[in-house]
Amino acid sequence: GVYKVPAADADSNLAYLKDRNVKYAIVASIRAQPKVNNGNIVNTMQRILGPVQQKYPDKLKMLKQIGEVEPAYLFEIIY
């Protein structure tokens, strides 16, 4: 798994994922405090993919959303 953000820019993050042959990513609303739904979530994947989505919106294709209140998304990464 990815537990830290490799860089803040889209190109570095995309290269990081490509070098590791990542084809899909799950962006989930994982609670920082499992028993408390206060909006604080672990956002590592959001911080990696956010800059990519802003700079290259065609590089991430959302395949599936599960849930409404605390959603999870499955993305295909298109290199």
Side-chain angles (χ1 to χ4, degrees), residues 53 57 60-65 72-76 78:
Q53 191 170 33
L60 297 175
K61 178 181 177 184
M62 188 176 76
L63 301 176
K64 181 83 173 172
Q65 175 183 339
Y73 304 93
L74 174 63
F75 287 97
E76 179 181 7
I78 303 165

Side-chain angles (χ1 to χ4, degrees), residues 39-77:
N40 291 333
I41 61 169
V42 177
N43 64 358
T44 307
M45 290 308 296
Q46 287 92 331
R47 290 177 32 224
I48 292 172
L49 296 178
V52 175
Q53 191 170 33
Q54 288 178 0
K55 186 171 183 179
Y56 305 112
D58 58 322
K59 298 286 185 186
L60 297 175
K61 178 181 177 184
M62 188 176 76
L63 301 176
K64 181 83 173 172
Q65 175 183 339
I66 299 173
E68 295 294 325
V69 177
E70 295 177 301
Y73 304 93
L74 174 63
F75 287 97
E76 179 181 7
I77 303 170

Side-chain angles (χ1 to χ4, degrees), residues 2-35:
V2 178
Y3 302 102
K4 63 180 182 174
V5 178
D9 68 280
D11 295 310
S12 296
N13 288 342
L14 201 55
Y16 175 86
L17 296 169
K18 186 175 184 179
D19 290 346
R20 287 157 181 78
N21 297 314
V22 176
K23 295 179 181 152
Y24 300 92
I26 296 174
V27 177
S29 298
I30 300 171
R31 295 177 184 179
Q33 297 177 13
K35 295 180 181 181

